[in-house]
Amino acid sequence: MAYLPADFDRLPPQAPEAAETLAPSPPLWQLLLQDMRACLAAGVVLLVLVMAFIGPWLWPQDPATQWLSQVSSGPSAARRVDVVSDEFWHGPRQNVSALTALQATTTQVKLAWPDRADAMSYRVYRNAGGVGLGMPLIETVKTHYADRLQLSEQRYRYSVVAVRADGSTSDPEWIEVKPELTLGTFEAQLLGLDVMDGKVSLPSHPLGTDALGRDMLSRILHGAQTSMLVGLSAPLLFITLGAFYGALAGLLGGWVDNVLMRIADFVVALPFLLFMILFRVALGIESGESGLFPMVMAMVLLSWPSAARLVRGQVLQLRESAFVMSARLAGAGNFYLIRRHLLPNVLPLLLVSLSFAIPQAIFTEALLSFIGMGVVPPTPSWGTLCNEGIRSMLTHPHELIIPALAISITVLSFNVLGDALRDAMDVKVRRSLR
Amino acid sequence: MSLLSVRDLHIHIGDNHLVRGVDLAVERGECLALVGESGSGKSLTALSLMQLLPSHARLEHGEWLFDGQDMRSLDEKAWRKVRARRIAMVFQNPMTALNPTMTIGQQIAEVICLHTSMSRREARQRAIDLLERLGIVNAPRRAKQYPFELSGGMLQRAVIAMAVACGPSMLIADEPTTALDVTVQAEVLALLQELCRDEGLGLLLITHDLGVVEAMAKHLAVMYAGRIVESGECARVLSQPAHPYTRALQAAMPSLGEARESLQGIAGTPPDLSRQIPGCAFAPRCPQAMNICVRELPQTRLIETGQCTECWLWEKPE
Amino acid sequence: MLRYIIKRLAYGLLTIWFIATATFFAMHAVPGDPFNSAKAATPQLRENLRARYGLDKPVGEQYLLYLGNMLQGDFGISFTQENRRVNDIIREHFPVSAILGVVALLIASVGGIAGGAVAAYWHNRLPDRLLMMAVVLAISIPSFVIAALAQLLIVQANDLSGRSLLPVAGWGSLSHLWVPALVLGLGTMAYLARLMRSSMLDVMNTDYVLTARAKGLGTWQIFWRHQLRNALLPVVTELGPTIAAITTGGFVVELIFAIPGLGRYFVQAVQQLDYTVIMGTTVFYGAFLVLIVVLVDLLYGVIDPRIRLHGGQR
């Protein structure tokens, strides 16, 4: 292969390459924006926060109103229903030829049956769902009965058995009934509803109602308010408090630091949940209070040391670091050092601990409310909702699952956000070290 | 026949083509030094010779013979019998290369137990003998100590003891003295040299210190950006470097006895190996670069002084 | 080493004293009188009760008396069940909690350590991603929800099979133990798996693992001899908080599964404001956990020669 002489000409002198400069690492929020799961989690967190604070206003149903006619019911739309008399029923005007339901409403199901010559009395049974006799309702000598026992819109099978003088029983006669949703006049009056043309308007319950007939959606939204209030305020407070405490210890140093951190060590040694309960009891609540304040206080009293340790460690590390030394030599004042060097280093760390402290606080609130040591019952919180839901778990699992989902999704989002934040910080640290 | 000969070795990790056609030959009882700045691919080359690269690294060889055996056909199970028994390695930092929760003795005995039929007790005794032979005083006590209790020099002796415990025929030492105090460096090097001579070990010494090379190696290979740019007998290469990179490397080295005005760094940075480099990788930093240099890779040529080099300067028509 | 042990024990005792003091003053800060009108109908009866429990004495004297009794291991008599000593209550109910806790801890550590190691070995591949997803889920669902769902599941399974596969609640046999222990250990297991994964990843990248490979050791040999022990070090430091979490987490599980442990008793005592039981249980648990932390510290010394030989300077 032949080469031209020009190939061997010297290259023109090259400008010496500048030492490779790294692009300044992007701010934290930009790193987070690049992270899909972080965006998703942040979206959910934002949604939960917004719903907690404007939700009750968007969905203005009272979380304490009890719709006695719709206890533990599934999702329902808004509708108009009849108002029926809930007066005592004295029996049908004329005899019936077979077991019939003269009225089938959720206020009462009026049953009548023909008299049998050999019968001493009749037993009435109700079965919700199955084919057997089910639950005995009454033993009566009459040939009619009005069932008013917690009826809901579902299929019931009523059976009537005649009891003979010798105690033997006849084959049951049965009928299937699906009561129509109605309100008793008394209930309509109690709820203050306007009756027009014998009907009232009922609001919708998109998530159904709980065991006391209260609207689940409204309770979840009000519960979110409580849970978020505790979940945000307590971590904010104890992290701020701890940060100041730690900074003080770190800056003062010497024996003061020693004593301050020993105190922190002692507080860490207190078993958290036990002392949460203890402090919660000790701080007490007056009647009419929701119990939020003592819980937040107890949490703050017990949780500040972790932030204090974190900040103190950073302060000590910075005090020894070369760049603070050189800044000092250049005549930088304390305030300048704190603002310029301490805060930028500590704030992201605090942000990460905050993002992990929030789900922890939400958990603690739920747990305490669950065992009855949190907010006091009329105030809904996700914990109390779960507590109430667990009692009717076997028959109406949605009452447990909905608030449980609310807690889990929120905590999951905060956890994912915290992880993403920590990862983003790691990237930042790694970049600045390179 | 050489103890080890490798032709046309390529290593890819991800998109980076980090070793781009390396040829090496190590003789019995001799030391080959592989020199280059950090990132030139010398440590990767060393790890690849024991099949110790991370699993996501891709390897290609033109030829890979060790002791007459084709090493390309070995599977992981066969490799386990090669490591330590036939080829052993000494790592850069003895403080991190030893397990902090096991005693020195245990760690040496482990490798003996693995490759021989000795009992644990015999292996323990052999470990102590080895330590003694490698110049560790009070070996029985030292063997019972943990790595954090010993000094760097002593630890590196222990690491070497571990490497030669099963009588390998080749030793790869990856910057064995970089992490040590200067005073200890000489002792460790002397030890390696002695082993090389007495046991007929082939030694591949990886370093960036030309002073070490001068003292130790018979042959030298200079590596830049994943290629060997110059190789040959140590004395010749160092006295009459043929490649501009070798010269630049020498100029950047402080040396005793020779008062120099100033040390010269090499301007620029090593190339980005995720991109194809058509010409000589050193061209952008080379003070004598020519038009052809950036376009086409020069051939390896044996020059009059007895070394091999790949540089267009030697192809230049007069 | 001995000096280190003594130092740790002395510090532990000081901590227990602090816990006892905090408990005493917290209980004395409770507003109102423990003997409300419901319990003591007449003022005379009330006075008698106050005298019986030493509440008529000044606070300082009460405190000293309390500390003195506690030093002798006497936690007093229950407020609500006047014939029961708190010591007897603890003696009766704590073993139940302990069995549950130990089994939960075993499940959590074995599962967590194995899970973490598996995730690290298949780093960024399917097993890792699945495990980490499960971990995030497990730490995001409250334990009481998991407990309730587990119960629901048992009920469904029993219904489907038509016989009683597992008891839904209660205590007394091995079959009562597994589900609550698993539920109790689940959160901890997730936490430990996460910890183990990251520490395993660190260890896998160390030089001494490369050395071990260069020695010709196989994957399993490297795992057992070189990686496991070193990867466990950070996990062991977290054992103290882990045991604390399982102990207090036991309250809820005991409550939901109707297990007659000390945790359930404690919650009942709090609901009934049974002061002596609350105080006794708190101090007992506090002391227990402090002791565990000290033990874990000493255990750490056994595994890590650097601590064992240099006396606690990490």
Side-chain angles (χ1 to χ4, degrees), chain A residues 227-241:
Chain A
S227 292
M228 285 313 203
L229 208 65
V230 177
L232 290 183
S233 62
L236 271 175
L237 278 172
F238 69 67
I239 285 189
T240 318
L241 186 80

Side-chain angles (χ1 to χ4, degrees), chain B residues 245-262:
Chain B
Y245 178 66
T246 317
R247 260 171 267 158
L249 207 58
Q250 240 180 348
M253 268 297 177
S255 65
L256 280 175
E258 199 180 323
R260 225 182 275 170
E261 292 289 299
S262 66

Side-chain angles (χ1 to χ4, degrees), chain A residues 7 61 65 77 148 166 176-177 221 242 253 263 273 346 396 401:
Chain A
D7 285 341
Q61 273 197 44
T65 306
R148 305 157 65 118
D166 59 357
E176 274 197 353
V177 163
L221 289 173
I263 295 175
L273 201 62
V346 164
H396 307 285
I401 288 173

Side-chain angles (χ1 to χ4, degrees), chain A residues 182-313:
Chain A
T182 53
L183 247 57
T185 36
F186 176 71
E187 195 188 345
Q189 208 174 4
L190 194 73
L191 291 168
L193 296 172
D194 294 331
V195 185
M196 270 173 58
D197 310 331
K199 283 175 179 283
V200 288
S201 305
L202 291 184
S204 74
H205 303 295
L207 298 179
T209 55
D210 72 359
L212 292 177
R214 296 173 295 193
D215 180 51
M216 277 301 271
L217 178 60
S218 155
R219 287 186 69 71
I220 288 284
L221 289 173
H222 281 85
Q225 213 165 38
T226 314
S227 292
M228 285 313 203
L229 208 65
V230 177
L232 290 183
S233 62
L236 271 175
L237 278 172
F238 69 67
I239 285 189
T240 318
L241 186 80
F244 277 110
Y245 188 95
L248 198 71
L251 288 172
L252 293 178
W255 67 269
V256 182
D257 175 39
N258 239 330
V259 170
L260 287 179
M261 289 332 278
R262 272 293 130 90
I263 295 175
D265 282 351
F266 278 136
V267 176
V268 170
L270 298 177
F272 180 73
L273 201 62
L274 266 91
F275 271 80
M276 270 306 289
I277 295 173
L278 209 63
F279 281 170
R280 168 67 179 61
V281 173
L283 290 165
I285 42 168
E286 312 278 310
S287 63
E289 279 177 349
S290 63
L292 272 183
F293 176 73
M295 191 153 47
V296 172
M297 272 298 287
M299 237 182 258
V300 171
L301 277 177
L302 287 170
S303 306
W304 58 268
S306 63
R309 280 176 169 178
L310 187 84
V311 172
R312 172 180 170 271

Side-chain angles (χ1 to χ4, degrees), chain B residues 54-75:
Chain B
S55 54
H56 55 277
R58 276 179 299 126
L59 264 173
E60 282 165 36
H61 300 88
E63 179 192 291
W64 185 6
L65 290 173
F66 178 74
D67 228 355
Q69 190 186 359
D70 186 358
M71 304 303 274
R72 285 177 296 184
S73 59
L74 294 191
D75 60 0

Side-chain angles (χ1 to χ4, degrees), chain A residues 162-174:
Chain A
V163 185
R164 301 188 191 93
D166 59 357
S168 66
T169 55
S170 71
D171 287 339
E173 198 180 343
W174 59 269

Side-chain angles (χ1 to χ4, degrees), chain A residues 25-355:
Chain A
S25 77
L28 215 54
W29 61 270
Q30 242 172 36
L31 284 172
L32 281 181
L33 273 183
Q34 288 162 13
D35 191 343
M36 247 267 292
R37 52 189 182 129
C39 293
L40 207 69
V44 173
V45 164
L46 221 63
L47 188 76
V48 170
L49 282 178
V50 167
M51 285 326 274
F53 292 99
I54 69 160
W57 177 76
L58 285 177
W59 185 254
Q61 273 197 44
D62 181 7
T65 306
Q66 298 184 3
W67 302 92
L68 294 173
S69 52
Q70 287 164 280
V71 166
S72 292
S73 73
S76 64
R79 52 187 157 170
R80 285 181 71 76
V81 299
D82 290 330
V83 175
V84 297
S85 154
D86 40 22
E87 281 168 21
F88 186 75
W89 185 47
H90 295 286
R93 293 205 190 94
Q94 57 197 117
N95 288 342
V96 291
S97 56
L99 175 61
T100 27
L102 291 169
Q103 183 191 336
T105 65
T106 55
T107 312
Q108 42 189 327
V109 173
K110 296 178 179 172
L111 297 170
W113 55 90
D115 199 8
R116 283 172 66 142
D118 57 344
M120 286 287 295
S121 64
Y122 300 93
R123 288 191 191 138
V124 184
Y125 296 87
R126 181 177 91 184
N127 192 346
V131 285
L133 287 176
M135 175 176 75
L137 291 172
I138 194 173
E139 179 157 359
T140 174
V141 292
K142 298 185 187 135
T143 58
H144 60 88
Y145 175 68
D147 176 21
R148 305 157 65 118
L149 190 71
Q150 281 239 337
L151 288 153
S152 59
E153 292 175 270
Q154 69 174 104
R155 195 165 292 282
Y156 292 106
R157 179 180 170 131
Y158 288 96
S159 310
V160 176
V161 172
V163 185
R164 301 188 191 93
D166 59 357
S168 66
T169 55
S170 71
D171 287 339
E173 198 180 343
W174 59 269
I175 186 175
E176 274 197 353
V177 163
K178 192 179 178 213
E180 178 196 341
L181 180 67
T182 53
L183 247 57
T185 36
F186 176 71
E187 195 188 345
Q189 208 174 4
L190 194 73
L191 291 168
L193 296 172
D194 294 331
V195 185
M196 270 173 58
D197 310 331
K199 283 175 179 283
V200 288
S201 305
L202 291 184
S204 74
H205 303 295
L207 298 179
T209 55
D210 72 359
L212 292 177
R214 296 173 295 193
D215 180 51
M216 277 301 271
L217 178 60
S218 155
R219 287 186 69 71
I220 288 284
L221 289 173
H222 281 85
Q225 213 165 38
T226 314
S227 292
M228 285 313 203
L229 208 65
V230 177
L232 290 183
S233 62
L236 271 175
L237 278 172
F238 69 67
I239 285 189
T240 318
L241 186 80
F244 277 110
Y245 188 95
L248 198 71
L251 288 172
L252 293 178
W255 67 269
V256 182
D257 175 39
N258 239 330
V259 170
L260 287 179
M261 289 332 278
R262 272 293 130 90
I263 295 175
D265 282 351
F266 278 136
V267 176
V268 170
L270 298 177
F272 180 73
L273 201 62
L274 266 91
F275 271 80
M276 270 306 289
I277 295 173
L278 209 63
F279 281 170
R280 168 67 179 61
V281 173
L283 290 165
I285 42 168
E286 312 278 310
S287 63
E289 279 177 349
S290 63
L292 272 183
F293 176 73
M295 191 153 47
V296 172
M297 272 298 287
M299 237 182 258
V300 171
L301 277 177
L302 287 170
S303 306
W304 58 268
S306 63
R309 280 176 169 178
L310 187 84
V311 172
R312 172 180 170 271
Q314 280 290 312
V315 171
L316 289 187
Q317 206 181 326
L318 283 173
R319 268 169 52 138
E320 302 303 318
S321 72
F323 62 89
V324 167
M325 286 286 223
S326 57
R328 254 191 211 292
L329 285 176
N334 263 335
F335 180 71
Y336 174 83
L337 283 176
I338 289 176
R339 192 170 56 86
R340 193 81 188 80
H341 291 298
L342 186 59
L343 280 183
N345 278 294
V346 164
L347 276 183
L349 286 180
L350 289 180
L351 199 64
V352 171
S353 18
L354 185 68
S355 70

